[in-house]
Amino acid sequence: MEIMNATDTTLVHLLEENSRIPTPELAAMLGVPAAEVEERIRTLQAEGVIRRFTAIVDRSSSGQAEVSAIIELKVSPERDHGYDRLAERIARFEEVRSVRLITGTYDLHVLVTGRDMQEIARFVSEHIAPMERIRETATHIIMKSYKENGTLMLGRDGGGERQPFSF
Amino acid sequence: MRDPVSRAARMIPPSGIRRFFDLVQTMDDVISLGVGEPDFSTPWKAIDACMVALEQGQTSYTSNRGMPALREQIADDLARDFGLCYDPETEMIITTGVSEGLDIAIRAVTDPGDEVLVAQPSYVSYAPCVTLAGGVPVPVPCLERDRFRLVPDQLTERVTPRTKALIMNFPNNPTGGVMTASDLKAVADVVEDHDLVLLSDEVYSELSYEQAHVPAATIGTLRERTITLNGFSKAYAMTGWRIGYLCAPPELADAALKIHQYVMLCAPSMGQVAALAALRSAKAEKDAMIEAYRLRRNLFVEGLNRAGLVCHMPEGAFYAFPSIESTGLTDVEFAEQLLAEEHVAVVPGSVFGEGGAGHVRCAYAVSHEDLVEAVNRIERFIASLADRPALAIEARQPVT
């Protein structure tokens, strides 16, 4: 997709906020026919602008415990490939939720999830740490999450007591 | 005991929909489209700035006119956004919400017996404030056939030698109507011909969806006879902070300031701090809220029309003002029955004065989910009316 027009931009924004809004409602908001909305979403997916529709889950509320850790890696870049080949190898592991090249003391910032701390420790020591070109790792267990993907995880906002009527 | 209540206090009408409040209290699943305020919280940057100021002990009175930094920032923004120039030293007062601004503006210009034209449908406080100031409110209807704009013919018909001022509000609560520059020019001619003062409540100025808002004071020479009122409640979701502002030429501003000094002293200091932070750093948050209102408006108005009501597309504020005449019910009956049967709260248009009857005000500043559910309930309600024609016909009988 070369350039997203204003309607695409608004559509993407709406879906980022809530990907379950039914098509007729999106159509009414955007002022275009429902069929056009469907077509635009298909195109956005085909072009890789929209990668996946998913849900943001608060594990602490779900009762299904999960442990996450941030793993920072110092890496010796490869001639011709830089960090890309190693980063892609790491990214392919199921346990890895995100991989990012960053500035600063470390080079790669990796988010890993597992059932418990042992599982993460084993994964890092067996699969990540021994990789060639990794010079140093620092693992930070996430103790509590306050905001994920722009969504507050603080319990539901009270919002005060709104009156039923005001003029 | 002699009557302890003043005649003026007796004269002003009580809220028209007290019984609606009572009915709502008995229900636990009401979707309220009756609230004239954003459902968003104040942008966090404003809240955070206020907390810092409180921790530093900034809890004193401010200058009567309001914090100089806030006035300067407002003046800069008005000049940048609208080409509207006011001197923050002599032509501006920070008020405790637009409500206070209106009150002191009305009192600053009204002598006992003066007639004050009030463009209606309108926010409910204009006429009572005129009455309390000893003036006589004279409603001027803005009709649906004029897209709820104020047209000069309606004004000239009502001007008398006692007419002192005109109060208007665009973008409008409750109709969502807006005025273009040429609409304003036509009104300006009447105002100038009859030497009136214009009180222009522009609190919804940021919520103009189809075209940039045009402040009345930018039209011709209106500035010299206009009091512009605005505030932070709507655009920045800051209703509870109670911060507004009044802009006027020095003579009018000084008169309003005297009243403000005696009745209010100054606007709340913590609210002023938050308002300044909002202007300086929450533009992106404000723009995102306005875009959300625009999209909800599209969704809601389409839904109302699908449900069988006739609703023009409101160009500003966050209200839809559909006609409910096709149902055969009055606006009060419609609102009462919709609340009783489907637990959706709307406000009967007649509450907002002349030109409002036969409509209901629906605030679409509620969540997407609530809006969709409200439309479903309204649609079901209207369908149920069709199944009981006898009731509808009965409701249409004139009162004898």
Side-chain angles (χ1 to χ4, degrees), chain B residues 159 163-165 189-198 225:
Chain B
V159 174
T163 307
K164 180 70 186 288
D189 290 343
V190 180
V191 167
E192 286 177 347
D193 286 352
H194 297 278
D195 196 18
L196 308 181
V197 180
L198 174 63
R225 56 175 70 246

Side-chain angles (χ1 to χ4, degrees), chain B residues 161-173:
Chain B
R162 297 287 338 236
T163 307
K164 180 70 186 288
L166 163 66
I167 306 176
M168 65 179 196
N169 160 233
F170 294 98
N172 181 262
N173 169 16

Side-chain angles (χ1 to χ4, degrees), chain B residues 245-371:
Chain B
Y245 55 91
L246 175 157
C247 301
E251 186 186 9
L252 285 168
D254 284 347
L257 181 64
K258 276 195 281 183
I259 304 169
H260 175 74
Q261 282 170 336
Y262 287 124
V263 301
M264 196 59 67
L265 218 163
C266 68
S269 59
M270 53 276 268
Q272 295 190 58
V273 170
L276 178 58
L279 282 185
R280 283 185 175 165
S281 51
K283 183 178 186 309
E285 289 89 333
K286 177 199 70 179
D287 290 344
M289 290 190 279
I290 293 168
E291 173 69 352
Y293 298 141
R294 187 182 71 82
L295 295 170
R296 291 175 189 179
R297 173 196 69 156
N298 295 351
L299 176 73
F300 186 61
V301 172
E302 193 261 353
L304 286 180
N305 285 309
R306 190 161 29 80
L309 296 179
V310 176
C311 186
H312 78 294
M313 183 59 86
E315 291 178 43
F318 40 54
Y319 307 103
F321 202 59
S323 167
I324 48 81
E325 284 179 340
S326 64
T327 63
L329 302 175
T330 68
D331 53 325
V332 173
E333 289 165 345
F334 182 94
E336 276 179 346
Q337 294 179 24
L338 180 64
L339 180 58
E341 290 171 28
E342 292 290 350
H343 298 190
V344 175
V346 299
V347 181
S350 51
V351 165
F352 302 99
E354 211 143 301
H359 296 80
V360 292
R361 189 193 76 174
C362 311
Y364 51 80
V366 303
S367 74
H368 180 96
E369 292 75 16
D370 279 358
L371 266 193

